Amino acid sequence: MTTIESRTGDTDEKILIGKGEQPAWLTLGLANRHGLVTGATGTGKTVSLQVMAEGFARAGVPVFAADIKGDLSGISQAGEAKDFILKRAGEMGLAFQPDRFSTVFWDVFGEQGHPVRATVSEMGPLLLSRMMDLNDVQEGVLNIAFRVADEQGLLLLDMKDLRAILSFIAEHAAELTTQYGNVSKQTVGTIQRQLLVLENQGGTKFFGEPALALKDFMRTDRDGRGMINILVADRLMQSPRLYATFLLWMLSELFEELPEAGDPPKPKLVFFFDEAHLLFNDAPKALMDKIEQVVRLIRSKGVGVYFVTQNPVDVPDKVLAQLGNRVQHALRAFTPRDQKAVAAAAQTFRPNPKLDTVKAITELGKGEALVSFLEGNGTPAMVERVMIRPPTGRIGPITPEERKAVMASSPVKGKYDTTIDSESAYEVLQKRVAGTAASPGTAAGGASGDATAGGGVLGQLTNIVGTIFGTNRPRGQRLSTGQLIARDLTRSVTTSVVGGVAGKLGKSVGGQLGGTVGRAIVRGTLGGLLRR
């Protein structure tokens, strides 16, 4: 039996978002069909987002949201019974009672929240190219770098690893060109310069270990309510491409990691993507196709994605068609272009014969919205004009002292705060260079006589192996065909053997990606590393 909670207005199956001529409900069982919150600046989008986040949390659904201006942080503190809030709650028949929600703050820069990190290997070449704004040729060379690292079991954890593998392929450009295609030192140099820009934007802090475990987003508190994860994004927004690519990476990781869930009675996680237009601005068609695919398929993993932006036209049609739950705040029509945008926004709703949608969009007051949520059969309801219900958490930002108190009681306190520098591509390649440099001197001084000439049978065996594999050839001399075949065969065998060992060692040795060392690397839809 469905019961209505008088304090919140929610039921066991629905969240109350607002009320007009009738209540506007968001059905939990259809919340993974995604949604869209739009409207001009200052019209109430953040409050609508907070109302939805609170409703999901009460229903036991974890939430992730980016906080661009700091206003959303108030959800972690009890609301204030101000006159306008009490008045609106009374008009809706709600008994307003302040509430606070279990909140975890995250921050790429580690200043106002727990650090958020990903490894370079997990990010993958496609998203990294997007982050650095590389052209097709440069992206191709970056793909070669990742391919070489994957095949040789080199972990790309942080920025110095990426620089090391790029230097490696530049030094071996002639050899790699015959196998993978043209690799020029000039192109590698351009990528290195773009890496410098990324480092200046904060990439050094973002890439590394311990990498974020997405299961830490999908928690409930001791009362069974969903944890609200807030990404502090005020500084991150100064680098829009880094912000958009980071959130897209998180979305792709959820898509690749979570098992199929079909249509659960409520989502496993709800993901709010604020300033969503940044995701689509200047995105190449190949990336757009991947984004559309992830958005379309991730609902079957039990994840609801809600884009927040100013106008529905900011979202490509293929993605817009996947967003079933809509909240439209006011738009202003001061210019012919604005008027076209308003008309386009109105056309995204199912018409209501009692409502002039185009006119209503321009007349909406602060806190009012046009809404259309999916009904029981999965079809959009007719558009309705409603007043958004008041949130029960605080409206507006919290103080630095309150933020520190929330972080001190966080369930992930201490887990991500200290950077780990595991042995990875940079260290391995440095050892290779050091070993190559030491070999000629050692041979000249006779220091290795016990292992070679002085070793009798062992010395002869070493010479034979060196001849077969080409390891004793003069520097710069090309390998023979037989030596190439022997080397490739040995690499294949070594990969299988080492892969079995590394799989058992898992993430406890050689960094969190240790389980992938020596194995064939498998990458997902958006090029991220798949954990198998």
Side-chain angles (χ1 to χ4, degrees), residues 22-302:
Q22 55 187 1
W25 304 98
L26 175 56
T27 303
L28 288 169
L30 298 171
N32 66 329
R33 305 291 181 94
H34 312 319
L36 180 68
V37 181
T38 52
T41 302
T43 56
K45 294 193 301 294
T46 302
V47 172
S48 292
L49 192 160
Q50 182 171 338
V51 166
M52 296 170 77
E54 289 181 0
F56 284 122
R58 283 191 295 267
V61 179
V63 172
F64 173 86
D67 189 11
I68 304 297
K69 298 175 291 186
D71 294 346
L72 195 57
S73 61
I75 202 170
S76 65
Q77 306 297 317
E80 300 169 336
K82 296 182 177 180
D83 291 342
F84 76 94
I85 292 179
L86 294 175
K87 180 182 178 182
R88 186 180 299 184
E91 292 172 348
M92 296 183 179
L94 300 177
F96 179 79
Q97 182 176 337
D99 199 359
R100 60 187 301 172
F101 296 83
S102 299
T103 305
V104 179
F105 291 108
W106 303 89
D107 184 1
V108 168
F109 303 99
E111 296 172 351
Q112 300 181 69
H114 302 292
V116 182
R117 300 184 191 90
T119 65
V120 173
S121 286
E122 286 175 319
M123 179 66 67
L126 178 61
L127 293 183
L128 199 57
S129 297
R130 167 70 170 162
M131 191 177 286
M132 294 192 292
D133 195 21
L134 302 184
N135 62 30
D136 291 344
V137 174
Q138 295 157 0
E139 182 180 346
V141 171
L142 188 64
N143 272 278
I144 292 173
F146 272 79
R147 179 68 177 273
V148 171
D150 289 351
E151 290 183 348
Q152 298 201 15
L154 297 172
L155 298 179
L156 302 180
L157 302 180
D158 51 29
M159 298 294 277
K160 69 178 187 297
D161 292 325
L162 187 53
R163 285 195 175 279
I165 193 64
L166 287 170
S167 297
F168 177 82
I169 67 169
E171 293 170 3
H172 297 79
E175 178 184 347
L176 295 172
T177 295
T178 59
Q179 186 172 359
Y180 300 106
N182 190 42
V183 178
S184 72
K185 292 184 178 180
Q186 291 81 2
T187 301
V188 173
T190 302
I191 298 174
Q192 294 277 31
R193 287 195 298 274
Q194 291 299 99
L195 275 181
L196 180 61
V197 174
L198 183 58
E199 287 174 346
N200 291 338
Q201 294 176 343
T204 303
K205 293 186 177 180
F206 173 57
F207 289 108
E209 289 190 306
L212 177 67
L214 293 179
K215 65 181 181 181
D216 285 332
F217 282 163
M218 307 180 72
R219 295 173 178 263
T220 55
D221 63 16
R222 65 183 64 183
D223 298 322
R225 303 205 300 182
M227 298 288 291
I228 296 180
N229 300 274
I230 295 180
L231 175 69
V232 181
D234 50 353
R235 183 180 169 191
L236 185 61
M237 272 299 296
Q238 297 175 16
S239 306
R241 193 177 293 270
L242 177 60
Y243 164 78
T245 309
F246 165 68
L247 291 188
L248 181 56
W249 166 76
M250 288 184 54
L251 201 59
S252 68
E253 287 288 288
L254 288 168
F255 173 69
E256 302 293 358
E257 286 192 28
L258 295 178
E260 291 288 332
D263 285 313
K266 62 183 180 182
K268 292 183 177 180
L269 176 73
V270 171
F271 190 103
F272 288 97
F273 201 134
D274 203 358
E275 299 294 338
H277 64 280
L278 297 174
L279 176 61
F280 307 109
N281 286 351
D282 303 320
K285 184 180 183 303
L287 181 59
M288 286 296 304
D289 290 342
K290 298 293 186 183
I291 295 172
E292 187 270 331
Q293 181 182 359
V294 169
V295 173
R296 176 165 46 86
L297 297 178
I298 199 171
R299 78 171 186 85
S300 66
K301 306 296 183 80

Side-chain angles (χ1 to χ4, degrees), residues 364-385:
L364 292 170
K366 188 172 183 178
E368 281 190 296
L370 298 180
V371 301
S372 174
F373 298 120
L374 295 177
E375 297 178 322
N377 56 2
T379 59
M382 288 191 296
V383 61
E384 295 284 350
R385 183 171 180 169

Side-chain angles (χ1 to χ4, degrees), residues 1-17 19 23 25 28 54-55 58-59 89 92-99 101 225 389-390 392:
M1 179 179 178
T2 300
T3 59
I4 297 179
E5 218 281 343
S6 62
R7 181 173 59 88
T8 64
D10 298 340
T11 74
D12 299 334
E13 301 173 349
K14 299 178 180 180
I15 300 170
L16 178 66
I17 303 299
K19 189 174 182 181
W25 304 98
L28 288 169
E54 289 181 0
R58 283 191 295 267
M92 296 183 179
L94 300 177
F96 179 79
Q97 182 176 337
D99 199 359
F101 296 83
R225 303 205 300 182
R389 58 158 298 167
T392 56

